[in-house]
């Protein structure tokens, strides 16, 4: 047992001496790892799925995940075209909106790529769908069997002369009310002047969409456009051939549909895109933007801090290079393992840039101190590595404990965030003990230049002496 500790120490010293004795091999190997990691990162496909934000052991979340994955009803692209020109009458607005929808349908049918990628394009209430056919052919003819005793008695009351007169007076009041829906309401009342459909709709809880006038569409034989309540907007539902979770398809699909919308919008309608495809495309751009912008902003701030604190102009490059290597390698491993970045993991780069450079800064400061004491570059680098390994390892382990706790979360996004952060932090420590010493030893020939001059601009000896002289007051 007594001989084990010197042997372990000797092996550790030999490992820590490799970057100092063979810096070019270490730097070349690092460059190869970085290139391979960058190639792997290009394969990363951000995930905008809600499943990554849900607890994996929650039955309700799992059911919603299956609904989002296996059923396509939620994946439609929603395009809302609006005529904002108040000088146009309702009839004129209807004409402009319908011409736009018809043009969009023609464009999709004539475009080879869109024709393959668009499953359906709907802007009318489909009253001849299977649900509507069931209601018209089965439910309506047997409507009396769907009524409870109360509804049945109310139906008999409405069929009396007094009940019919009362309903006709209500119809007259509804038609006389001002508003753009009066004309559509009048056509609806002509089909069912006694509003007998109300009893059936209440019993089977059918949706009423945009009010009384639209409620009868499900019982009607007429396909009516999906206008808004004010009749100045038209809703168009567009189904894609692939789910919105396929981000490569979603990006191409959204680009083509925007081109189609702009092509048909010669009457300058206001177009709004919503639904799963639009949200997924926007989320994908946001994730990629966060991955780059957050790291870039932090890099600029840290560089400013280094210029203020260190006399060596190259201090920032020396301290941040190991961190950059660690971040790139961590994301490369993340990609190789077929994991997908989420909004949570998109900011890991910025977190690692702030936490990982602590290892490099400690090493660099310790190295400068040893150089000022007269050590050669090799001696200073080797001594710094041996003296800082254990403190760095202790600091790493305390940080990893927090990430390990987060990894126990059942939310996949939090698990991936903690896993990637812990991996990146561990790689930052390793790079600080390998890449940084190799850089310092390699750049020794230019150590006499001003941009490699060691030392700090700011010294705290006066502050420490002040606290020492007045320690009772400070305490």
């Amino acid at each position: 047992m007594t001989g084990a500790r010197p042997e372990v120490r000797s092996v550790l010293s030999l490992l820590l001496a490799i970057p100092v004795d063979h810096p070019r091999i270490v730097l070349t190997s690092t460059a190869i790892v970085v290139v391979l990691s960058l190639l792997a990162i290009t394969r990363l496909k951000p995930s905008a799925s809600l499943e990554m934000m849900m607890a994996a052991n929650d039955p309700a979340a799992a059911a919603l995940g299956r609904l989002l994955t296996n059923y396509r009803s939620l994946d439609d692209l929603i395009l809302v075209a609006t005529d904002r020109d108040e000088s146009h009458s309702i009839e004129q607005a209807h004409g402009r909106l319908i011409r736009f929808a018809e043009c969009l349908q023609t464009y999709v049918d004539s475009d080879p790529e869109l024709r393959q990628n668009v499953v359906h394009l709907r802007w009318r209430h489909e009253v001849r769908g299977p649900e509507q056919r069931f209601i018209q052919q089965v439910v309506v003819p047997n409507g009396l069997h769907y009524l409870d005793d109360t509804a049945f008695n109310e139906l008999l009351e409405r069929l009396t002369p007094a009940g019919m007169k009362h309903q006709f007076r209500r119809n007259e009041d509804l038609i006389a009310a001002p508003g753009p829906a009066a004309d559509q309401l009048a056509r609806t009342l002509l089909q069912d002047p006694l509003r007998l459909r109300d009893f059936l709709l209440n019993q089977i809880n059918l949706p009423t969409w945009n009010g009384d006038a639209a409620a009868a569409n499900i019982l009607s034989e007429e396909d009516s456009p999906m206008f808004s309540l004010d009749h100045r907007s038209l809703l168009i539902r567009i189904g894609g051939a692939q789910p919105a979770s396929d981000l490569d398809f979603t990006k191409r699909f959204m680009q083509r549909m925007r081109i189609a919308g702009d092509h048909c919008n010669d009457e300058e309608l206001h177009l709004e895109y919503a639904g799963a495809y639009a949200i997924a495309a926007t989320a994908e751009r946001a994730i990629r933007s966060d991955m780059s912008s957050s790291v870039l902003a932090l890099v600029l701030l840290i560089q400013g801090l280094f210029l203020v604190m260190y006399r060596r102009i190259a201090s920032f490059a020396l301290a941040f290079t190991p961190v950059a290597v660690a971040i790139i390698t961590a994301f490369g491993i993340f990609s190789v393992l077929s994991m997908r970045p989420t909004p949570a993991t998109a900011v890991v780069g910025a977190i690692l840039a702030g936490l990982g450079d602590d290892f490099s800064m400690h090493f660099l400061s310790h190295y400068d101190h040893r150089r000022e004491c007269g050590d050669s570059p090799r001696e200073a680098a080797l001594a710094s590595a041996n003296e800082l390994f254990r403190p760095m390892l202790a600091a790493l382990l305390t940080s990893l404990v927090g990430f390990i706790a987060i990894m126990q979360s059942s939310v996949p996004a939090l698990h991936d965030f903690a896993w990637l952060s812990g991996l990146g932090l561990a790689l930052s420590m390793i790079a600080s003990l390998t890449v940084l010493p190799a850089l310092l030893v390699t750049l020794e020939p230019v150590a006499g230049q001003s941009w490699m001059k060691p030392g700090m601009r700011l010294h705290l000896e006066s502050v420490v002496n002040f606290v020492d002289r007045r320690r009772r007051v400070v305490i």
Side-chain angles (χ1 to χ4, degrees):
M1 295 294 293
T2 56
R5 292 177 61 86
E7 181 180 350
V8 172
R9 184 177 182 85
S10 176
V11 172
L12 179 61
S13 299
L14 289 175
L15 292 175
L16 294 176
I18 293 176
V20 178
D21 295 333
H22 307 283
R24 295 190 178 183
I25 295 177
V26 171
L27 294 178
T28 302
S29 302
T30 301
I32 295 174
V33 171
V34 169
V35 171
L36 293 177
S37 298
L38 289 173
L39 292 176
I41 290 174
T42 59
R43 297 173 54 249
L44 278 176
K45 295 182 179 181
S47 172
S49 173
L50 290 177
E51 296 177 69
M52 298 295 292
M53 301 297 178
M54 301 176 184
N57 56 0
D58 184 353
L64 180 58
R66 289 195 298 272
L67 176 64
L68 295 173
T69 303
N70 300 328
Y71 293 89
R72 305 295 302 280
S73 59
L74 302 179
D75 271 353
D76 283 358
L77 169 64
I78 307 298
L79 173 56
V80 180
T82 304
D83 184 357
R84 290 185 168 182
D85 192 340
E86 296 294 338
S87 64
H88 295 154
S89 65
I90 297 300
E91 289 73 16
Q92 289 174 322
H94 282 185
R96 289 158 58 89
L97 295 171
I98 291 176
R99 283 193 295 272
F100 170 78
E102 291 174 343
C103 174
L104 189 65
Q105 180 69 71
T106 302
Y107 187 96
V108 169
D109 292 340
S110 61
D111 185 280
E113 182 178 351
L114 281 178
R115 191 167 59 249
Q116 293 180 352
N117 293 333
V118 174
V119 177
H120 62 258
L121 191 152
R122 300 169 181 161
W123 51 279
R124 292 181 179 274
H125 294 292
E126 290 193 345
V127 301
R128 294 178 180 83
E131 297 87 355
Q132 285 77 10
R133 286 198 300 270
F134 174 77
I135 292 172
Q136 294 170 1
Q137 298 172 9
V138 179
V139 176
V140 174
N142 299 280
L144 291 178
H145 298 290
Y146 288 87
L147 305 183
D148 57 22
D149 293 340
T150 303
F152 184 76
N153 293 330
E154 292 177 355
L155 172 62
L156 294 178
E157 176 65 26
R158 183 167 297 186
L159 293 176
T160 63
M164 289 189 285
K165 290 180 180 179
H166 176 71
Q167 184 59 48
F168 291 152
R169 285 195 296 269
R170 289 187 59 191
N171 293 346
E172 292 173 357
D173 294 339
L174 288 173
I175 296 174
D183 183 54
Q184 174 67 23
L185 183 59
R187 291 197 297 268
T188 301
L189 292 175
L190 287 176
Q191 297 176 4
D192 183 19
L194 293 179
R195 296 177 62 90
L196 299 181
R197 70 178 185 279
D198 290 349
F199 299 102
L200 183 60
L201 293 175
N202 291 334
Q203 292 300 309
I204 61 177
N205 195 27
L206 287 174
T208 56
W209 299 316
N210 294 337
D212 290 337
N217 282 329
I218 200 167
L219 304 178
S220 173
E221 291 295 334
E222 178 186 358
D223 291 350
S224 61
M226 292 187 283
F227 291 125
S228 61
L229 283 174
D230 62 0
H231 282 245
R232 290 195 172 273
S233 296
L234 177 65
L235 186 145
I236 304 173
R237 298 178 64 96
I238 307 165
Q242 300 296 328
S245 57
D246 185 343
L247 293 182
D248 289 337
F249 170 82
T250 297
K251 287 192 297 183
R252 296 194 306 270
F253 181 64
M254 285 300 303
Q255 290 173 355
R256 296 298 302 169
M257 288 309 306
R258 289 184 183 275
I259 292 174
D262 294 340
H263 172 79
C264 293
N265 192 21
D266 53 359
E267 298 189 74
E268 298 184 354
L269 301 173
H270 179 68
L271 304 182
E272 297 174 285
Y273 296 86
Y277 289 104
I279 295 173
T282 302
E284 189 270 345
R285 290 195 301 269
I287 291 173
R288 292 191 182 275
S289 175
D290 289 345
M291 290 176 66
S292 57
S293 62
S294 58
V295 175
L296 179 60
L298 191 60
V299 166
L300 294 177
L301 290 174
I302 295 176
Q303 183 175 14
L305 179 62
F306 268 78
L307 291 176
V308 173
M309 297 293 295
Y310 287 92
R311 287 189 296 176
R312 182 193 288 114
I313 298 177
S315 292
F316 169 75
L318 290 171
F320 193 75
T321 297
V323 182
V325 170
I327 294 174
I328 294 173
T329 306
F331 275 97
I333 297 174
F334 191 78
S335 175
V336 170
L337 296 178
S338 299
M339 304 176 77
R340 304 182 69 181
T342 64
T345 56
V347 298
V348 166
I351 295 175
L352 293 178
L355 294 178
D357 64 349
D358 290 349
F359 297 120
S360 299
M361 292 173 66
H362 284 300
F363 190 98
L364 201 57
S365 298
H366 201 278
Y367 174 86
D368 286 347
H369 175 70
R370 297 301 297 248
R371 290 285 285 138
E372 290 175 350
C373 292
D375 286 358
S376 66
R378 182 187 182 282
E379 294 172 340
L382 189 57
S384 299
N386 280 281
E387 294 173 10
L388 292 178
F389 173 78
R390 288 171 178 79
M392 283 185 177
L393 181 60
L396 172 65
L397 293 177
T398 55
S399 299
L400 290 181
V401 168
F403 289 125
I404 291 174
I406 299 176
M407 286 179 63
Q408 307 309 309
S409 172
S410 59
V411 178
L414 292 180
H415 176 275
D416 292 352
F417 164 80
W419 186 91
L420 183 58
S421 299
L423 175 64
L425 199 59
L427 292 175
S428 296
M429 174 190 161
I430 295 173
S432 297
L433 294 172
T434 55
V435 178
L436 183 54
L439 284 173
L440 290 170
V441 174
T442 302
L443 294 176
E444 173 58 23
V446 293
Q449 302 295 327
S450 59
W451 62 278
M452 280 294 293
K453 186 176 182 181
M456 303 280 290
R457 294 183 185 274
L458 300 178
H459 296 276
L460 301 179
E461 288 85 351
S462 58
V463 177
V464 175
N465 293 333
F466 175 82
V467 173
D468 181 60
R469 291 193 302 268
R470 295 170 175 79
R471 52 184 175 275
R472 293 183 179 179
V473 177
V474 173
I475 294 175

